[in-house]
Amino acid sequence: MTRSQPRRARGTVGHANSALNLRLVLAGFGLVIMVIFAVLAFWAGIAWLGVVCALFAVVAVIDLVVIQRRRAARRREEPGVRHSLFE
């Protein structure tokens, strides 16, 4: 069963462990920036830096998937509730 936050987290459904919407925005920003840096690094001929940036982009994608799953679980637990960017 997917939950909106891990079982051993200190927060509750009412007081989340992390601001999921803010994490979503930051992970999206990190993904865009890392893809741009990877493309620029490969274009400049610095392959090792391009690989590092591409790996960080993959980490951002994984984080986006985890955040979306937690947001969906929160939506199922609290139907009809709208959350701001910092909740």
Side-chain angles (χ1 to χ4, degrees), residues 4-6 9-20 74 77-78 83 86-87:
S4 61
Q5 63 186 43
R10 293 181 187 257
T12 64
V13 173
H15 300 285
N17 192 29
S18 65
L20 293 177
R74 181 175 66 183
E77 291 172 3
E78 300 174 345
H83 293 277
F86 301 104
E87 292 184 273

Side-chain angles (χ1 to χ4, degrees), residues 13-86:
V13 173
H15 300 285
N17 192 29
S18 65
L20 293 177
N21 294 338
L22 182 60
R23 277 184 61 193
L24 183 70
V25 170
L26 293 174
F29 176 75
L31 174 64
V32 170
I33 293 300
M34 286 297 113
V35 167
I36 290 171
F37 285 169
V39 168
L40 290 175
F42 283 123
W43 182 70
I46 310 171
W48 67 269
L49 184 60
V51 169
V52 170
C53 289
L55 288 175
F56 280 132
V58 169
V59 169
V61 168
I62 293 169
D63 194 30
L64 284 169
V65 170
V66 169
I67 293 166
Q68 279 298 99
R69 288 185 54 150
R70 288 187 182 168
R71 287 180 73 220
R74 181 175 66 183
R75 235 177 282 128
R76 282 191 304 273
E77 291 172 3
E78 300 174 345
V81 177
R82 303 284 299 185
H83 293 277
S84 72
L85 183 63
F86 301 104

